[in-house]
Amino acid sequence: MSGDLSPVDDPVAGPFFAGILEGRFTAQRCNSCEALRWPPLSGCPDCHSRSTTWVEVAPTGTIWSFVVYHRAFQASLKEEIPYTVAMVELDDGPYVVGRLVPGDKPPAVGDRVVAELGEFGGVPSVRWRTA
Amino acid sequence: MASSRNPIAGQAAIVGIGHTVQGELPGRSVEENAVDAALLALADAGLSVDDLDGLIGCKSVQGQGNDVTVGQLLGRNLPYVQSLDYGTCNFSLHLAVMAIVSGLASTILLTYGANARTAKFDFGKPMYGADMASAAGLVHISGRAGLALQRHKALYGTTDEQFGMLAVGQRQWAQKNPNAIFRTPMTMADYLAEPYMVEPLRRSDVTMISDGGVAVVVTTAERARNLPQQPVYVSGIAEHAGVRGEHNPENLMRPWLKDSAKAIWSTTGLTPADMDAVYIQDPTAVWSLQMLEYYGFCGLGEGGPFLAEGHTLPGGDLPLNTHGGQLSESYTWGWMHMVEAVRQLRGQAGERQLADPKVALYASSHGFLKAAASVLSTEESVAA
Ligand SMILES: [Zn+2]
């Protein structure tokens, strides 16, 4: 995947992708109020501090919800359908969206998942696998 | 009469409605569609462009059709011209009411034009720029709406048959509406036989894309009394933001809709039971499910059984989108919802006319970011 769908060049989110390439799953933590946040932002929406540290988070969570795409809304997705996207509530708090790798049985809300780090479709990212 | 609780009550009224054919209008710009509709709305109101002192241009999905570009074609330098950077008809209506109550303008034309169908606008491009979600393939509104529905199903046991009552019901209404684009009968069996597009959503759960223009004229209650049409008064307005976006926990459920709901009922003193009809802007049927619950027409999580009972269908006690909405009538970002509410309140809705409706709710939203609601009425004062 590339072009319109690639987020890697984003200056705010950049450290996340760099972390993935080093094998670390990270999120932003506010240096002032210590709130964890995802997606990345240039400042804290709670206390407005701009001082942030990227910290490692546990790569585990539960499926908050998921959808299965049977239509490709972008040409680059044509060969991937059907594909599943899950919104995962991390054990550490934030919600992180990502592709879900189908397991032996159909996914369900509440299923435990583990993040797999890597380059998927050319984008350093996470992929969810049912635990 | 205005009160401190609701200072806008009954001060402004919709006095003109107009729209082009909805469908495919090749070779016509957003602005041309908007102006064609504008001239019809002015004629409906018994007014001319020279009676206006305000113009609000609602941008299209492509960012066209604002006050500046529509204004060139209308050709008048008016005291008040404005445009929202997004939106549905509700937000533009609120802007008009506020301009009238503040005295910035007294007779305002609101316009909307779309040509996204023939211009082949790419609705699959990332919604919020390139982010992790789009990298994962979470593109098109049906992705995020589908996540919300799947969650609803898991939490409350909502079934496909229950949820499908929205798509099927909207088609039943559309069959009574000569303006509607999708009028082919659709049974529940037909609906369930449709393959998933983005599971759990089917094609019929998501708006069509069509071209067309829509316009309304809003003026003071005082002036409205002397115009040819039955005035449709704006009895209350409310909004609430969810601009914290994905940093709201569970933002896909759009929990801030219940805040605009609370505000519209408290400002008007009315309740859901007072509504003779409800209009919910529905780019996906998930929006209707959510708003029926948040606005209190049924309990939270009870939308499925409520729909299955048939309240929202023709003949039911809560007529919903009596024109067919965005699922069956046309695209237009909720503008035709307001036109239909006015038609019903005037008694001009033909075969689908309700029995003497007096008050309607129009509820809408700007994606995952903002909510708006208006109560419209045939009466200047509808205090409960
Ligand atoms: Zn903070």
Side-chain angles (χ1 to χ4, degrees):
Chain A
M1 239 172 289
S2 61
D4 276 357
L5 297 178
S6 174
V8 180
D9 297 337
D10 185 289
V12 176
F16 170 79
F17 299 102
I20 293 287
L21 294 175
E22 295 164 8
R24 298 184 310 122
F25 182 25
T26 58
Q28 285 180 312
R29 188 178 64 200
C30 175
N31 287 339
S32 175
C33 73
E34 303 199 332
L36 274 180
R37 68 176 180 266
W38 186 268
L41 270 186
S42 59
C44 175
D46 292 318
C47 75
H48 307 125
S49 166
R50 289 204 192 81
S51 175
T52 296
T53 306
W54 284 86
V55 296
E56 255 185 276
V57 291
T60 53
T62 55
I63 295 178
W64 183 86
S65 190
F66 67 96
V67 285
V68 186
Y69 278 76
H70 296 277
R71 181 181 294 190
F73 290 98
Q74 290 284 324
S76 60
L77 295 165
K78 226 166 224 161
E79 283 169 16
E80 313 213 13
I81 51 168
Y83 66 88
T84 303
V85 178
M87 183 65 78
V88 169
E89 185 177 4
L90 294 185
D91 293 336
D92 286 338
Y95 295 72
V96 177
V97 71
R99 197 68 71 83
L100 179 74
V101 183
D104 297 336
K105 58 181 177 60
V109 170
D111 279 358
R112 296 287 299 161
V113 288
V114 178
E116 183 179 277
L117 313 185
E119 281 196 66
F120 308 113
V123 179
S125 187
V126 295
R127 232 165 40 171
W128 300 105
R129 266 182 201 283
T130 41
Chain B
M1 188 191 292
S3 71
S4 58
R5 183 183 69 189
N6 186 6
I8 66 97
Q11 293 211 50
I14 300 164
V15 293
I17 54 176
H19 62 87
T20 67
V21 168
Q22 307 291 313
E24 295 192 355
L25 301 170
R28 287 161 70 176
S29 70
V30 162
E31 286 80 8
E32 288 171 302
N33 289 333
V35 171
D36 285 354
L39 298 177
L40 293 168
L42 284 165
D44 180 65
L47 297 169
S48 85
V49 70
D50 293 315
D51 295 310
L52 296 172
D53 57 7
L55 165 69
I56 295 171
C58 179
K59 279 187 181 181
S60 70
V61 68
Q62 299 109 308
Q64 299 157 0
N66 63 15
D67 53 344
V68 173
T69 58
V70 172
Q72 286 185 333
L73 289 177
L74 281 176
R76 301 293 185 279
N77 286 328
L78 304 177
Y80 178 76
V81 299
Q82 197 55 266
S83 186
L84 293 166
D85 191 35
Y86 57 86
T88 66
C89 182
N90 231 344
F91 296 98
S92 296
L93 176 67
H94 294 185
L95 207 53
V97 170
M98 289 184 275
I100 286 169
V101 171
S102 69
L104 273 171
S106 61
T107 302
I108 305 178
L109 173 69
L110 284 67
T111 64
Y112 172 79
N115 69 352
R117 182 168 187 85
T118 54
K120 299 191 189 316
F121 180 77
D122 177 9
F123 286 88
K125 73 179 186 181
M127 277 178 81
Y128 302 110
D131 57 11
M132 270 258 297
S134 41
L138 186 69
V139 293
H140 194 268
I141 193 169
S142 53
R144 282 177 164 85
L147 286 170
L149 177 60
Q150 189 84 274
R151 179 79 182 169
H152 196 279
K153 293 175 80 170
L155 286 180
Y156 307 117
T158 313
T159 66
D160 282 18
E161 286 90 336
Q162 292 169 343
F163 179 69
M165 290 292 279
L166 285 163
V168 169
Q170 291 305 282
R171 188 62 58 85
Q172 289 180 10
W173 283 113
Q175 284 179 264
K176 300 172 184 294
N177 176 8
N179 295 312
I181 295 169
F182 291 163
R183 300 183 71 191
T184 316
M186 180 171 64
T187 65
M188 181 57 71
D190 296 334
Y191 169 81
L192 293 171
E194 260 186 36
Y196 287 120
M197 181 170 73
V198 177
E199 187 182 346
L201 291 174
R202 295 172 165 84
R203 174 66 198 85
S204 293
D205 299 319
V206 180
T207 183
M208 71 182 77
I209 305 303
S210 55
D211 304 334
V214 192
V216 302
V217 180
V218 183
T219 190
T220 61
E222 191 182 2
R223 185 169 202 182
R225 278 179 221 121
N226 302 314
L227 293 175
Q229 301 285 359
Q230 153 78 53
V232 171
Y233 298 96
V234 183
S235 304
I237 58 176
E239 300 186 8
H240 201 92
V243 293
R244 215 181 125 107
E246 310 246 321
H247 298 89
N248 284 311
E250 310 210 332
N251 191 54
L252 291 166
M253 304 302 260
R254 310 195 305 160
W256 30 267
L257 284 163
K258 69 178 178 301
D259 299 303
S260 60
K262 193 177 166 196
I264 194 69
W265 300 136
S266 70
T267 194
T268 58
L270 300 170
T271 71
D274 295 318
M275 298 300 111
D276 297 322
V278 58
Y279 293 88
I280 297 179
Q281 182 225 356
D282 53 346
T284 81
V286 180
W287 275 212
S288 299
L289 176 68
Q290 290 180 334
M291 289 197 230
L292 287 170
E293 293 184 1
Y294 286 128
Y295 280 89
F297 295 101
C298 61
L300 200 59
E302 293 168 7
F306 179 78
L307 288 166
E309 286 165 7
H311 301 277
T312 59
L313 305 180
D317 58 356
L318 186 70
L320 169 70
N321 297 346
T322 53
H323 55 320
Q326 281 182 241
L327 304 186
S328 277
E329 198 232 31
S330 64
Y331 167 63
T332 71
W333 276 6
W335 281 75
M336 288 300 281
H337 290 62
M338 188 158 75
V339 164
E340 175 70 4
V342 171
R343 281 206 168 110
Q344 287 285 354
L345 292 168
R346 286 180 179 177
Q348 297 174 345
E351 193 196 331
R352 62 191 186 283
Q353 178 64 49
L354 304 172
D356 198 27
K358 293 196 160 24
V359 194
L361 175 74
Y362 171 40
S364 64
S365 53
H366 171 42
F368 294 89
L369 296 167
K370 292 180 194 184
S374 303
V375 170
L376 305 175
S377 173
T378 53
E379 312 293 325
E380 269 190 79
S381 174
V382 286

